[in-house]
Amino acid sequence: MASGTRTWRAATEAALYGPNGFYRRPEGPAGHFRTSVHASPLYAGAVAGLLRRVDAALGHPAELAFTDVGAGRGELLTGVLAAVPDELAGRLRPYAVERADRPAGLDRRITWLSDIPTGVEGLLFANEWLDNVPLDLAEADAEGTAREVRVQEDGEELLGEPVRGEDAAWLARWWPLDGAPPGSRAEIGRPRDAAWARAVGSLRAGLAVAVDYAHERGSRPPFGTLAGFREGREVRPVPDGSCDITAHVALDACAGPGSSLLTQRAALRALGVDGGRPPLSLASSDPAGYVRALAAAGEAAELTAPAGLGGFGWLVQPVGDACAGLLEAGRDPAAGPSAGEG
């Protein structure tokens, strides 16, 4: 084992979440990159719509939890609280789960936690959280053997010991490297599988949703996806706290029983966000309304663009039978029974 090197998992943990870690900076993630939450209030509105569906499916419980995992500075929670009706807001228990300190001025209704609350019922939503759960990297050597990748604080890498044990079993099932061309890489997603299982297990009943850059077993990127970001630009991933360190998520490996995988485009369309242009007739009858609708359509188009944010993966996992199928097109239990139902 080379002196001065660590596994990528250990190095990333310190670089992102240590005392001087990237995610403890006062500017927060929004100072460096733009997520769907920052792109448009339509996103928070859609999540609020999903929360209403969960509430209806659970029978409007006296207390409904909304847990935002990887909450940043509370932007999504703030938007959801503004979008839900007063009756639901009175029963809602909003939790922000984030390792950074609570930001000043955040709505007092929001409980700020460093760990996921357990034994609650409602909606758990993790937007771009799993891609920042640190993991280890493996690379095929000249003989095609998968070896751990070790890294120095300046980002220089070298190959370590062959991957063994549970990590080797995970690779064999989800991202095989044995016999792969030299230099082929994989990101060992076992810590993310465990983190997601723990998050889902926090719910007594309800729905858990993870939204992230994703790939599936049949189309893993041959050289991995590890990247750094700083001030809106992709940079070399250096584990010194100066940049975000992220890697796309094998959501298919994370998925538990009853899960479904869909694109953000499909999920948001099922929640009423489709990016369609308003009718031109509105420009004559209500010019100001037409301009507002046109702006909203542009924001919706960005959120659902197949080659952009719309290509994100949504992992949707119900806990209990009541919340199964809540993102099926056209299903909205919050709207009440349709004709012929009930």
Side-chain angles (χ1 to χ4, degrees):
M1 186 180 300
S3 176
T5 66
R6 292 181 286 180
T7 64
W8 265 107
R9 183 180 179 184
T12 301
E13 176 70 29
L16 296 185
Y17 306 113
N20 299 309
F22 179 81
Y23 276 99
R24 295 189 181 275
R25 292 182 169 198
E27 71 271 18
H32 296 273
F33 49 86
R34 189 167 177 261
T35 71
S36 297
V37 177
H38 309 119
S40 169
L42 291 175
Y43 192 77
V47 175
L50 180 58
L51 182 63
R52 290 177 61 244
R53 294 188 184 193
V54 170
D55 180 48
L58 294 175
H60 308 289
E63 183 171 299
L64 184 76
F66 176 53
T67 305
D68 182 7
V69 186
R73 296 301 179 266
E75 297 95 335
L76 177 60
L77 275 164
T78 300
V80 168
L81 283 171
V84 295
D86 290 343
E87 188 280 328
L88 175 53
R91 293 183 288 110
L92 193 62
R93 298 296 177 265
Y95 297 100
V97 181
E98 182 59 70
R99 296 209 209 178
D101 294 336
R102 181 187 182 100
L106 189 67
D107 192 310
R108 292 184 179 181
R109 291 174 292 177
I110 297 172
T111 300
W112 193 266
L113 301 171
S114 60
D115 206 355
I116 299 172
T118 59
V120 300
E121 60 178 337
L123 174 62
L124 180 143
F125 201 85
N127 185 69
E128 295 194 45
W129 168 56
L130 286 173
D131 68 306
N132 285 127
V133 172
L135 42 59
D136 284 322
L137 272 65
E139 183 175 317
D141 65 12
E143 286 74 43
T145 299
R147 293 183 175 273
E148 66 177 18
V149 179
R150 301 186 66 85
V151 63
Q152 300 176 160
E153 189 171 342
D154 63 3
E156 289 300 311
E157 296 177 334
L158 73 160
L159 297 187
E161 297 296 317
V163 179
R164 297 187 175 90
E166 291 181 324
D167 284 348
W170 190 94
L171 285 177
R173 180 179 181 186
W174 294 109
W175 200 332
L177 279 184
D178 286 346
S184 299
R185 302 185 87 171
E187 292 133 12
I188 305 171
R190 199 165 59 85
R192 294 173 173 181
D193 298 355
W196 180 244
R198 183 167 172 268
V200 173
S202 73
L203 289 174
R204 186 170 69 249
L207 190 70
V209 179
V211 182
D212 237 309
Y213 295 99
H215 45 63
E216 298 187 22
R217 193 183 190 282
S219 57
R220 306 284 191 221
F223 302 106
T225 62
L226 187 74
F229 287 91
R230 184 192 304 119
E231 297 176 353
R233 294 186 303 160
E234 185 171 349
V235 298
R236 179 169 169 258
V238 178
D240 61 359
S242 67
C243 65
D244 184 26
I245 297 174
T246 179
H248 296 192
V249 184
L251 284 179
D252 53 343
C254 296
S259 296
S260 58
L261 290 167
L262 61 163
T263 65
Q264 175 156 295
R265 179 181 178 85
L268 290 184
R269 286 190 163 187
L271 291 167
V273 180
D274 65 12
R277 292 174 65 91
L280 282 174
S281 58
L282 185 62
S284 304
S285 61
D286 183 3
Y290 177 77
V291 171
R292 290 193 299 272
L294 195 62
E299 293 174 4
E302 180 183 5
L303 290 172
T304 58
L309 295 174
F312 271 55
W314 279 46
L315 168 57
V316 181
Q317 188 164 336
V319 177
D321 296 335
C323 290
L326 288 188
L327 277 175
E328 293 176 1
R331 181 177 177 191
D332 186 358
S338 60
E341 294 183 336

